[in-house]
Amino acid sequence: MAVLETTDLVDDLSLDELLMNVLVLNAGSSSLKFQLIATDRDAIAANKDVRLCRGQIDRFGGEVLIVVLVRDGSRKKFSVSTRDMQASLEHLMRWITSDASGIHEIQAVGDVHAVGHRVVHGGELFGESKLINDEVLKGIEDCIELAPLHNPNNIKGILAARQVFGPNLPQVAVFDTSFHHSIPEHAYLYAVPYHLYRRHHIRRYGFHGTSHRYVTERYQMLAGVSTEQTNIITLHLGNGCSAAAIRGGSSIDTSMGMTPLEGLVMGTRSGDIDPAIVSLIATKEGLSAGETEALLNTQSGLLGISGLTNDMRVLLQEQAKHDDRRVRLAIEVFCYRARKYIGAFLACMGGADAVVFTGGIGENSPEIRARICHGLEWAGLRLDDNRNKQTVGLESQISTHDSRLHAFVIPTDEELLIARDTVRCILAGPCSSQLGRPPKVEELRVH
Ligand code: ADP
């Protein structure tokens, strides 16, 4: 999701009633995305959490560019001559706590009551979000071999926050893989020699778990069903794309695998291919194994087929203007693969009640949704064309009322789920006694 695009900043709740201001951090290799969300148990139950600000810190050469969008709609951009994550975070907090920010709820660093981190890989260790202590940090380190490009940055984010806010501030790790821990053995094992699973942990883990879980929880609220009654297929269609089969509220299968490369066609990733193609490309093109994997990750998918772009919005515009054959093909292959997964998951689940679309494409493109659903009438899915067309970036049911298999659009909000999990972990964890008493400001001052 584009961090700065959204305008749904909620402001109809008195902040005095709120218990915790949670800073959500998503630390990548060259950027740090953040949101400050005020929430507590009641706000979660009422879906009335308040987003105070959001933004991104990006590294450019020897400096960082910090962009913040505040709840009142104002936007601030400033650059700082550092490349260091901790120093960037300190600058951000200095600005947020200053009068100039207009974020009156955060007057001092101590007004941030907890930090929630997106952590990409929890391996087989973490089936749920965890309050971070040294043991959890070690576990995240142990998963580095499974996500060498991501977990090290997530750890840097945790350590930077520990420096900025002090060691006593509760921090929580929310893993992209956790929601898929419920996938049974027969669905997560690959049919390769079993010792490779034992030796190298080669199995399906699945990703986008925070997004699949968020839309699953929202679906329950919108459809008014219990967790046990939640039987849906969720499609996260953004730059990265994945499908998940949710039975009884739990993930029982998902399209991404050991890495995010498997499954649906994505912006630049191939998704499923015959594994023999890997060595064939390497031999014919004179590439190493790593280079071939990079080609499948960064040069394939919509970009690879169209030869033009990974951006679905641009592809749809091009198709409408020029009807270019490869552009048309890219879109067709994308939609066909998504429909194929819906069919496969319907079989795995013994039927479902709804398909839920989310992610930049799923939320915003009626045309792609219609093309994916076209031909699923046999399964009982009938789109309400008007509702589908009118639903752009909104929560809505887009199937007709008499459909047996419904379709919904539910915009994802991974940061919100991270903030909520942070609160839930703290309420359940050893530091819950601190909650009525926010940490002392002087203990938490920016160094
Ligand atoms: P990320 O996975 O990086 O978070 P997003 O979830 O924001 O990405 O999704 C980005 C994708 O959503 C891009 O392919 C973009 O073109 C597509 N997208 C956004 N708005 C539209 C739209 N109105 N119509 C079609 N595609 C859209």
Side-chain angles (χ1 to χ4, degrees), residues 295-313:
L295 178 142
L296 295 172
N297 265 305
T298 64
Q299 305 296 316
S300 304
L302 293 173
L303 171 66
I305 298 177
S306 71
L308 184 70
T309 176
N310 61 324
D311 191 316
M312 182 60 93
R313 195 168 12 192

Side-chain angles (χ1 to χ4, degrees), residues 124-435:
E124 294 192 312
L125 282 176
F126 299 111
E128 56 188 13
S129 303
K130 287 281 179 200
L131 200 54
I132 298 171
N133 55 25
D134 288 345
E135 193 189 339
V136 171
L137 202 53
K138 164 82 174 53
I140 299 171
E141 260 173 42
D142 289 345
C143 295
I144 285 180
E145 64 170 338
L146 295 169
L149 299 179
H150 295 101
N151 276 29
N153 293 311
N154 302 149
I155 291 171
K156 276 187 204 157
I158 293 166
L159 296 178
R162 207 181 249 185
Q163 288 297 321
V164 172
F165 296 99
N168 295 329
L169 192 84
Q171 297 201 59
V172 170
V174 180
F175 302 90
D176 256 17
T177 46
S178 290
F179 185 54
H180 300 304
H181 252 237
S182 42
I183 293 178
E185 219 173 14
H186 65 256
Y188 73 63
L189 274 184
Y190 291 113
V192 296
Y194 191 74
H195 68 263
L196 294 177
Y197 165 60
R198 285 238 179 89
R199 256 187 230 162
H200 307 298
H201 311 286
I202 292 175
R203 53 159 282 181
R204 176 182 312 287
Y205 292 95
F207 299 87
H208 286 152
T210 318
S211 175
H212 289 293
R213 197 179 123 210
Y214 175 81
V215 298
T216 300
E217 289 180 4
R218 276 305 289 161
Y219 168 82
Q220 278 172 34
M221 288 178 108
L222 295 172
V225 293
S226 67
T227 304
E228 294 68 33
Q229 292 168 326
T230 303
N231 300 311
I232 57 176
I233 295 167
T234 50
L235 289 179
H236 178 108
L237 307 178
N239 257 320
C241 300
S242 66
I246 316 289
R247 195 170 60 198
S250 300
S251 171
I252 61 153
D253 205 347
T254 190
S255 59
M256 283 180 167
M258 170 93 189
T259 76
L261 185 51
E262 193 182 346
L264 301 180
V265 174
M266 311 180 209
T268 60
R269 294 188 191 120
S270 61
D272 295 339
I273 60 162
D274 178 344
I277 293 172
V278 177
S279 63
L280 192 140
I281 293 175
T283 310
K284 300 264 182 202
E285 296 286 316
L287 300 177
S288 68
E291 286 166 341
T292 309
E293 191 184 323
L295 178 142
L296 295 172
N297 265 305
T298 64
Q299 305 296 316
S300 304
L302 293 173
L303 171 66
I305 298 177
S306 71
L308 184 70
T309 176
N310 61 324
D311 191 316
M312 182 60 93
R313 195 168 12 192
V314 175
L315 288 174
L316 288 169
Q317 285 161 359
E318 272 299 309
Q319 184 190 239
K321 268 195 222 152
H322 307 297
D323 197 24
D324 179 272
R325 180 174 164 275
R326 278 177 51 190
V327 166
R328 189 161 23 88
L329 266 180
I331 299 171
E332 262 170 37
V333 175
F334 180 94
C335 295
Y336 174 75
R337 181 82 53 87
R339 191 178 329 121
K340 189 165 155 179
Y341 263 92
I342 294 174
F345 283 172
L346 282 172
C348 299
M349 300 167 70
D353 294 323
V355 174
V356 177
F357 288 92
T358 194
I361 300 171
E363 293 163 22
N364 297 304
S365 178
E367 180 173 346
I368 296 297
R369 293 191 301 250
R371 287 173 70 165
I372 291 174
C373 294
H374 182 70
L376 283 173
E377 291 78 10
W378 64 270
L381 198 164
R382 291 185 25 215
L383 274 195
D384 179 327
D385 291 336
N386 280 337
R387 287 198 110 166
N388 182 39
K389 278 186 193 132
Q390 284 160 8
T391 303
V392 176
L394 302 170
E395 281 181 345
S396 180
Q397 180 185 319
I398 54 168
S399 50
T400 58
H401 286 292
D402 59 353
S403 287
R404 267 185 295 117
L405 175 63
H406 283 289
F408 280 74
V409 176
I410 302 181
T412 195
D413 198 336
E414 289 156 284
E415 292 78 9
L416 183 57
L417 193 127
I418 292 172
R420 289 175 172 183
D421 259 20
T422 301
V423 169
R424 289 181 189 127
C425 275
I426 291 171
L427 289 173
C431 53
S432 58
S433 59
Q434 292 181 0
L435 280 181

Side-chain angles (χ1 to χ4, degrees), residues 20-24 112-116 169-172 422 426:
M20 296 189 69
N21 298 318
V22 181
L23 178 65
V24 176
V112 173
H113 301 135
V115 182
L169 192 84
Q171 297 201 59
V172 170
T422 301
I426 291 171

